[in-house]
Amino acid sequence: MLTNIQEQRLVKRINESVTSLYSDRLVVGDYIHKLSNRMDKLLILLSTANFSPKEVNSELKKIDQLNTLYEKTVLTDKENINFNKFKIYIQQITQNVNATDHAQAIEISKYARQTLETLSSIQVEEGKVKLDEVLSMTSTSRLMSYIEIVILIVIAVLIQILVFSAKVDMGAKVPKDHRLN
């Protein structure tokens, strides 16, 4: 019974970990991938001689939309620091594009791209931590199941010993004197 209660708690924790792995790691990894693609496109646009500020601002808006989605996920402290750094870089790029300082915008874009790579590696690290948590939970459950089985076997053996060691005559009593008549 105790293992059943423990199993229910374990299943709940595993569900939470797997949900977190999906929503806070895999989905965020996809956001980072999309942000990286947007940053690559932004760098290409900024590197062309006669780029269109309208196209650049459109890319920056798309990056802001992805940033809004990213912010809704659960961030670790390290991830939060790097993500805030990335958002500051995007603001600086926007300011430099509006001030027509393209060289500075390109330079800051490169830093923003590196920050995305750092965020991506954080996702891998955190995903590994979540996976280790789930594996640890399942190994604990397996150990509890083995202990439960051993206890049941010991109880069964003790019952067998008690049954066989009891000296109870269960059959009908046959008289020992055969000369009754």
Side-chain angles (χ1 to χ4, degrees):
M1 180 150 145
L2 290 176
T3 56
N4 187 19
I5 293 170
Q6 181 70 19
E7 290 286 327
Q8 288 174 356
R9 288 182 189 157
L10 182 66
V11 167
K12 182 180 176 189
R13 287 179 50 208
I14 289 174
N15 285 339
E16 290 169 357
S17 290
V18 170
T19 301
S20 173
L21 187 63
Y22 172 77
S23 62
D24 298 330
R25 299 301 145 222
L26 292 177
V27 171
V28 169
D30 183 55
Y31 293 155
I32 292 170
H33 176 72
K34 288 176 181 176
L35 285 167
S36 295
N37 289 341
R38 294 285 170 207
M39 287 304 301
D40 289 342
K41 188 171 181 181
L42 184 65
L43 273 166
I44 291 169
L45 287 173
L46 290 171
S47 298
T48 57
N50 295 331
F51 73 86
S52 165
K54 185 177 180 179
E55 283 185 76
V56 171
N57 286 326
S58 172
E59 284 302 314
L60 288 168
K61 284 181 184 175
K62 290 174 185 175
I63 289 171
D64 283 336
Q65 290 170 347
L66 287 168
N67 284 346
T68 301
L69 294 172
Y70 195 129
E71 283 178 320
K72 292 179 182 177
T73 64
V74 177
L75 304 175
T76 64
D77 292 338
K78 187 176 177 184
E79 190 177 14
N80 196 27
I81 290 167
N82 283 284
F83 183 63
N84 286 330
K85 189 188 307 184
F86 177 75
K87 290 189 307 185
I88 290 169
Y89 287 145
I90 296 302
Q91 290 171 353
Q92 291 173 347
I93 293 167
T94 304
Q95 291 168 356
N96 286 312
V97 166
N98 293 336
T100 64
D101 188 356
H102 306 131
Q104 187 65 25
I106 290 172
E107 194 64 31
I108 295 170
S109 295
K110 291 177 183 176
Y111 292 132
R113 185 74 170 89
Q114 290 173 347
T115 305
L116 286 174
E117 289 174 14
T118 302
L119 285 169
S120 181
S121 63
I122 291 171
Q123 296 311 306
V124 172
E125 291 170 14
E126 290 300 317
K128 175 78 171 114
V129 167
K130 288 290 181 189
L131 178 63
D132 289 345
E133 283 178 19
V134 170
L135 292 175
S136 172
M137 287 182 242
T138 57
S139 67
T140 301
S141 172
R142 206 172 316 129
L143 178 65
M144 293 297 285
S145 294
Y146 288 144
I147 290 172
E148 183 179 22
I149 289 170
V150 167
I151 290 172
L152 289 173
I153 290 171
V154 168
I155 290 172
V157 168
L158 288 174
I159 290 172
Q160 290 276 333
I161 291 171
L162 288 174
V163 167
F164 289 129
S165 68
K167 295 188 177 185
V168 176
D169 278 337
M170 298 299 280
K173 291 190 176 189
V174 179
K176 293 189 180 186
D177 189 14
H178 297 291
R179 296 179 271 146
L180 294 174
N181 280 346

